[in-house]
Structures are given as structure tokens and as C-alpha cells.
Amino acid sequence: MFLYYIRLGLRSLRRNPVLTILMMLSIGFGVAASITSYAVLRVTSTNPIPQKSSQLFAVQIDNTGPKYNFHGEPFDSLSYIDAMALLDAGKAQRQTALYPVEVSVIPDDPSGIPFNARTYAVYSTAFEMFEIPFIYGHGWSTREDQDRIPVVVISRSVNDKLFKGENSVGRTIHLDGHSYAIAGVMDTWDPEPLYVDPSNSSSFGNPIELFIPFTHAVNIKLPSGGNVNCAKDPGNGWEAWLSSECTWVLYFAELPNEVAARRYHEFLFNYAADQQRSGRFDWPANVRLRNVEEWLAYHQVVPPEAKLSLMVSLGILISCIVNTAGLLLAKFIRRSPEIGLRRALGASRRSVHEQFLIEAMTVGLGGGIFGLLLILGIIKFVVGLVFDPSIARLVHATSGIISITLLVAILATVFAALYPVWRAARVEPTVHLKLG
Amino acid sequence: MQVPLIFAALRRHKSTTLLMVLQIALALAIVSNTLFIIQERISLSRRPTGLNERNLLTIQNVWANADIGPITSLAQSDLLALRHIPGVADATQMNSFPLVATGWREAVHLDPDPAPAKWITQGQIYASDEHTLSTLGIKLIAGRDFRSEEIAESDQKSLTPPAVIIITKALADKIYPNEVAIGKPVYLTISDDIRPSVIIGIVEQLTSPFSRARSYRETSILIPAHIAGKRSFYLVRSSEGQLTTVAKAAPEALLAVSHMRILSGRGAIRTFSQVRADAYRDDRSLAIMMGMVCVVLLTITAGGIVGLNTFMIDRRRRQTGIRRALGGTHRDILTFFLIENLIISIGGAALGVLLAYWLDIALMRTFQMERLSPAYVGIGVAVLLFLGMLSTLAPALRASQIPPIEAMRSV
């Protein structure tokens, strides 16, 4: 019976090709628009480290007071004083201070052209905290942290560029006139969005290529390559800079469970309250401890364009469903004589329902296929136009997207068909037989 | 005379009429809001910077050497080399420029007490020299330009407050309203050293480096300084028509001065129109996408209306035939269906206006957009009424050709 209905459906679709194509276009377009927007929204709102996002926390301490902070929110980064105080206290299971630095990689070959690499200064704990994978070697140890040794962890891409992908552990590279021993080569590590530092440059931009020890970077006076906020002038010289109230050090703590997180929050609060008592802060303790998801939500890494286009395309989908409903109604009612005949020959309402729903589903399937073609075209030509290239590179037509598209197309058409089908099945056999 | 008749007819086609009304309403709501978004984004991306953006080249220079020592003299050689390129009118070195998305602000005080509570506003700091105004084409409306002996050579950390500054008119109006600002002091907390900086010039406009800046967009301060640092910008004005040749020659000239620099990568060498396009890329492309959405949505809506109209008119072949037989002219039939569609469209538009404002409130809440201006709803209504007429025309014309004999046939 099912196959028979499909054949009936196809025949009826062929009888009225313009109407059929119009319906398929309508469904296809509505589905394509909404699924593409959904795909973009999904890649921008994925959790970059799902297994650990509730255990990694960004730490903020207000060291500027209500006059300078942002609607009561402390700056994203800490002053060097606060970061060092937290590190010395060592209250979290693991913790790291980090900051972006601007260095250039200088090839050994004198004719080689120097290039920039996205670099962060971190502590040795960072590799475990952020679960950074290695192909060769590993991160450095706490000894290198303490002794401020110039070591470096390089990305796979830098290793490919400089050493043609060979194991380069133990060799040296030159960054701005300093030489560094390679401790490890990362495997591809590209968390999207880059949760460790959403405020500096694009969160969906290039991955981090080099890590050097924080202690060494401070030792050779590398300035921050990211946002720096100074409520008071730091004064002259590096020592003055380190003891200033300028904020430029990002700080992450790993806390295994809620109890630990609560305790750490208390510790932070007490620390800030102590600063107030000692006269350094003349405002009440104002601290934040945000886990990765809260941190990303706070930074609104999902571009507003993505949400806006999802809203608009949902509107389009609704509009297309209404459109299809109208066309289906026209089509079905026009076939009242046929329905009357079938009913008179003993077909139940139920079988009329079935027949027309299946016909609608074939329309939905056709619309879905058309929508898929559209999506492939949109992903290829339009997403790159509308969204930043760093986001566009993440949007692909996965099997998930393909099946969702077909499913949504069919569901949307069936939904659009509900009323027309109900109307069709209400046809009284006798009326149309007489007229016919 | 036809109108009561039409209402009677519509009552017999409740569901089709309702679907058409709904379709028009939805299209109107979406189209008027997207048109509004398009207009908003386009006008945002056209906001002036105060610069003469024609024939302006920007170069981002990154020294591949941490040693700050020789940078000052290297930068001076760079500027000389740039000015010697044929077709170059002038060149300057800056720490930042409008729309480049990097820069720094300082609090502006009017008395020497640096207490944080006492600042008046914040100023965007542009480290400039005596070539900056002429290179950028910024209009000096009062006072004078910097002189070469006033330009400090310094690195970021040892910078001290300058003795003289040039500010924008917006900043002057803010700190010295109804007064002549030239010759008056301001205090910038650039270092511990508290010294007045005297305003020597006022420029018409110079905006923030951040394209989306909402606050402190117009309050900028030019300080006479070359800041030696790993990253700095050279801006070059070419003579008319020479921009492409200059853009090609500039990196070669710089590399001839020194090889230890990075001039490659996105954003290293850009004309100012590229800078503007990059800064407003998201807005422009959102506008393009919304435009495409509008066109396709209107096409589909039109298709739907044609389909439904054809159906509604076809179903009344017999009645139409009877009307013709009873003396109705072609014209009567045509106007009947056109007016019928107009009534449906007006119903749809009325519902659509409500929907449009409802959608606008939702969008405003989520995206902090401006209130939808009625002009766009008006445009949407006009477009949809026109579209409705257009898509009724073909089926209505066909209906008017129905011969009276049709009345005799059974269905």
C-alpha cells in the first residue's frame, strides 16, 4: 500500500509540475536558510573542552575599583602582583598564569624570512590543565619554571615549517635574538573558541603556535602583546611595571569539584578583603571565578550576527511552511472529485490521510534534496562572505547536517500538510460524484 | 459595488484567505526588519573617520628583533625611504590609526591631581609627528601643527606627558565648553611626572581605532612622539593615481633599509579602503546576506500568492462564467479579482505591521538595535501590495477571458 501511495503521489506531482516545484523551492529554501544558520551557531557555541569545562576556572580580581572597572566587572586579567600572590598561595589543584607575547621566529638560514608565531608565556602546569597533546617530547617541568630556562613548546605547523615534521626535540630555535631549546612538539591543538584568552584577538582565529615559560618571559622583560589596562600610571622601568596595578596576566585554576571551587572562591574573596584591609584597595572585595562555559558566555564569543541570522531564518522557515500549506491546500482541494471517487469506492478517511501525507512527504523529500544542494552552495560561497574567515573555516556539511536537513524538510512539509490533509479527507463522497 | 460581493466570496474561502493573509504578514514582518538592518549596517560602515581616505596606504611594520635600541634610527631611515618613493606625497609613523583595531586611551584631567575620581573623559592617544596631519589629510580648524623639534623619540614605557598636544573638536567641546581651548592645559596620566600638556591645535575629526566603539569614539589626542616598539604603523599618502605603484614599491624600499622585519601576512600592507572594508566586513556581509534573504523570501511569497490565486480563481470558473453570461464585462472580472487580492493584502499588511513591531522588540532586546523606523514598514507594505497585485494579474487576466459558455458546462 505504501509503495502504491508513493506512486500515486509521484503521478499527482507530475500532473502539476509548477505547483510541485514551487512547493519544493519553498521548503528547500526555508530549510537551507535555517540549517546553515544553525550550523554556524553550533560551531561558534561548542564547548572547547567538554570533559573539563566545569573544572577549569578563569580568575578575576578587581584591582581598579568601581571608577575604572567595567559595569562592576573586574578586568579579564590580573596585575602581576595578584597573579604572583595567587601562585605562591597555590590553593588550587593546578594553576597557571599566562600572557600573550609578540615574538618573531628567526630562521637559522640567514636568507630565511622571519615570521610571527602566536605565542603565550605559561607555567609548566598549563599543558596538563589545558590537555595539550604532544607528538614529540612533552611540556617542560617545574624546574625550568623556577630556573627561568629558555625552553619552548612548538606547534605541529611550526615544526613542519622549520624541521619538515621531524622530531625536533632538543634542537634550538631563535625568537627575537634569544635561543630556545625545544622541549616538545604539540599535536594539532586548536580549541574553538580559544577559551584561554577570548578577549585578545579573534577567539576563532589561528591556534597558539609557541609556548615559552612565563618566568623566563618576565625575566627577559617581554611586554604583553594583549590588552593592558592601567588605572594608575605604572612608572618607568620593568620593576615598576611588575609592581604596578596594570592588569595583563590571565590566570586559570583547575578545581576538581564544586566544593573545591567554593573554597577557592572564598580564598579569592578573603585575599581581596585582605588587600582592602591593608589599604591597597579602597573598595570591597570584588572577585570572579568563572568556569570555561561561564567565561565564554561572559565574553559573548558567539557572534551576534550568528544569532541574528538564526532568528531571521527561523522566520523564513515559518513563512515557507505557511506558503507550502497554502499550495498543498490548493492542490488537494482541486482533487476533491478524485477523493470523492476513492471514498465512494470504499477508501476510509484513514487511507485518504495516509495517501496525502505520503504525497506531502515526497514533496518534503524533494524540498530537502533541493535544500541540501542550496546548503552546499551556501557553505561554499556565502558563509565565507557573511562570517569572518576564522569562523567560516569551521563550517562544513557533515553527515549530521545532511540528515538534519532532510528530516527538517520532511517534518516541515508534514506539518504544513496537516490542515490540507484534514480538509481533503473531509470530502463527502456523494457531492463530488454528482458533480463529476 | 463589488466590495460586499468580494467579502461574501472570501467568506466561502476562509482557509485559503487566511493562509494568504498570514503569508503576506510574515513576509512583511521579515522584510521590513531586514531592510532596516541592512540600512543600519550600511550607514554604520560609512561613518567618516576625519581622514581623507583616498590615496592613503597603511603599513604595519613588525621588527623581528627585540632590541629596541636601533629601532628609533631605523624608523627614521624607513620614513626617509618611504618619502623618496616616486609618487609619495608624505609619510608618517604612528602607534595606531582609525579603524585599525588597536590603540590605547588615557584619562584626561583638568587639574594636576591625578586621583582617579577626577578624570573628565578619556582620549584616544595617537602618537604622531609633524607629517601626520598632512599625510592623513586631517583638517586643522584652529591653532597650529607640530614642529619637528617637538617630536619625542621614546619607547612606550619611558614616555612622559608631552608639552604640546593637538585634540579633536569633540574633545575640546567636552573639556572646555564655550571657551577657546587653544593654549589651555590638560593633564594626561602618561607617567608619574605630572606636567601640563598645552593644546596647540584643534582638528575637525579623528575617530577611534575601533570600528564598533560606542564611547570615546570622537575624543582623540595627537601627541608629538615616535614610539619605538616591536610593532608600529607607517601611513603613506600617494599622489593621485599612484596608490597601487606606491603599495608595490613600499615593502621593497623598507626591506632595503633592513631585512629584520615582518611585512607579510594579512593586514601588513593595506590601502585605507581595504582597512575600512576589513573593519566593517561583518556589517557589510550581514547586509548582503539580509538582502539575499529579502529577495528570495519575496520571490517565494509571490510564488505562493500566484499559486493560491490561481487555485481560488480556478475554483470559481463556473461562477465567473455565470457572471459573464449575465452581462459582466472583462473589466468587471479583472477588477473583481484585483480588488479581492487588494483586500487580502491589506489584511495581511495590517497583521504584518503588528508582527514587524513585535519582531523588532524581540530583536532590540537581544541585539540592542535601534527602534524600527516606520519608513521601513512603509516600504515593506508598498512592496508587498505591489507584489500581491502583480501576482494576481496573470490569473485574473486569464479569468477575465473565461467565455460565458462556461456557465453552461458542469464544473
Side-chain angles (χ1 to χ4, degrees), chain A residues 22 29 67-68 102 104 106 115-116 176 233 236 241 304-305 308-309 315-316 323 326 330 384-386 419 423, chain B residues 15 23 30 41 64 116 119 157 190-192 230-231 260 262 281 285 289 293 296 300 303-304 308 311 367:
Chain A
L22 213 56
F29 177 69
K67 175 80 181 175
Y68 280 99
E102 274 199 88
S104 315
I106 314 222
F115 62 93
N116 279 345
D176 281 0
D233 180 71
N236 290 342
W241 172 245
E305 278 78 17
L308 190 61
S309 62
I316 290 169
N323 195 344
L385 256 181
V386 177
Y419 176 71
R423 276 288 299 268
Chain B
S15 50
Q23 211 170 309
I30 294 174
R41 297 298 169 123
W119 57 268
K157 293 228 161 25
I190 286 179
S191 74
D192 284 342
K230 195 166 164 58
R231 181 188 300 266
M260 291 301 279
I262 296 160
R281 195 190 144 81
S285 32
M289 193 190 71
V293 160
V296 182
I300 288 198
L308 282 181
F311 160 70
F367 303 104

Side-chain angles (χ1 to χ4, degrees), chain B residues 55-57 85-89 236-249:
Chain B
N55 299 318
L56 190 57
L57 184 72
I85 297 172
V88 168
V236 180
R237 173 158 303 279
S238 82
S239 25
E240 188 64 42
Q242 298 290 305
L243 192 60
T244 27
T245 19
V246 169
K248 237 175 257 150

Side-chain angles (χ1 to χ4, degrees), chain B residues 3 19-20 134 138 178 223 246 251 254 267 310 314 334 338 350 352 380 383 399:
Chain B
V3 174
L19 279 172
M20 263 216 262
S134 73
I138 302 170
N178 315 317
I223 62 168
V246 169
L254 291 176
T310 313
D314 266 12
L334 188 65
L338 284 179
V383 167

Side-chain angles (χ1 to χ4, degrees), chain A residues 78-308:
Chain A
L78 306 182
S79 66
Y80 185 76
I81 320 170
D82 290 330
M84 289 305 115
L86 297 189
L87 267 180
D88 288 342
K91 293 283 185 193
Q93 188 187 17
R94 292 192 189 111
Q95 50 237 309
T96 185
L98 63 139
Y99 74 102
V101 291
E102 274 199 88
V103 294
S104 315
V105 181
I106 314 222
D108 285 340
D109 175 6
S111 67
I113 304 164
F115 62 93
N116 279 345
R118 195 168 182 192
T119 306
Y120 276 77
V122 298
Y123 278 84
S124 55
T125 43
F127 301 103
E128 283 177 328
M129 287 176 72
F130 302 137
E131 301 194 341
I132 295 168
F134 284 88
I135 30 176
Y136 303 122
H138 39 73
W140 59 83
S141 68
T142 43
R143 248 204 62 218
E144 275 97 354
D145 279 342
Q146 280 160 11
D147 298 346
R148 306 163 174 193
I149 308 282
V151 288
V152 66
V153 162
I154 65 175
S155 72
R156 187 182 202 131
S157 59
V158 169
N159 192 51
D160 288 348
K161 204 184 292 186
L162 291 179
F163 303 103
K164 303 192 172 63
E166 286 167 26
N167 184 347
S168 58
V169 172
R171 297 173 71 168
T172 54
I173 62 170
H174 299 281
L175 306 177
D176 281 0
H178 295 269
S179 37
Y180 293 77
I182 296 173
V185 178
M186 287 183 264
D187 203 346
T188 310
W189 182 67
D190 188 10
E192 298 290 349
L194 183 61
Y195 58 94
V196 297
D197 191 7
S199 54
N200 285 320
S201 76
S202 157
S203 334
F204 300 94
N206 295 330
I208 297 173
E209 293 165 303
L210 302 175
F211 285 107
I212 59 174
F214 186 98
T215 50
H216 162 78
V218 169
N219 197 32
I220 63 164
K221 306 179 181 177
L222 272 180
S224 167
N227 289 334
V228 171
N229 289 292
C230 299
K232 274 187 234 152
D233 180 71
N236 290 342
W238 186 253
E239 286 311 312
W241 172 245
L242 292 186
S243 53
S244 73
E245 291 293 353
C246 296
T247 62
W248 51 281
V249 184
L250 290 152
Y251 197 92
F252 276 83
E254 182 176 339
L255 303 160
N257 51 47
E258 272 179 50
V259 181
R262 211 171 319 124
R263 246 185 241 141
Y264 198 81
H265 190 269
E266 245 165 64
F267 156 71
L268 280 179
F269 188 88
N270 290 335
Y271 170 79
D274 280 346
Q275 301 303 312
Q276 187 192 2
R277 268 190 290 279
S278 74
R280 185 177 149 222
F281 296 172
D282 61 0
W283 47 88
N286 182 18
V287 297
R288 299 285 184 280
L289 186 64
R290 291 187 160 103
N291 69 29
V292 170
E293 278 179 278
E294 293 161 345
W295 178 242
L296 290 176
Y298 169 62
H299 280 282
Q300 298 183 324
V301 292
V302 177
E305 278 78 17
K307 281 191 208 157
L308 190 61

Side-chain angles (χ1 to χ4, degrees), chain B residues 181-224:
Chain B
I182 300 275
K184 296 219 168 67
V186 301
Y187 294 86
L188 303 172
T189 48
I190 286 179
S191 74
D192 284 342
D193 191 8
I194 307 295
R195 275 197 305 199
S197 303
V198 176
I199 301 167
I200 56 158
I202 294 175
V203 293
E204 191 174 46
Q205 191 187 29
L206 176 61
T207 61
S208 153
F210 302 99
S211 60
R212 304 206 169 202
R214 282 173 191 270
S215 44
Y216 313 117
R217 191 180 118 83
E218 304 274 343
T219 52
S220 307
I221 302 171
L222 292 112
I223 62 168

Side-chain angles (χ1 to χ4, degrees), chain B residues 12 16 62 67-69 77 80 84 90 106 118 128 175 185 202 229 233 292 302 323 334 336 349 354 376 379 391:
Chain B
R12 291 188 49 104
T16 0
V62 177
D67 199 2
I68 301 292
S77 319
L80 284 178
H84 272 109
D90 209 348
E106 285 289 343
K118 294 202 169 166
S128 332
I175 53 178
I202 294 175
F233 299 97
M292 296 198 295
R323 232 190 129 185
L334 188 65
F336 176 88
L354 294 181
Y376 294 92
I379 294 174
S391 45

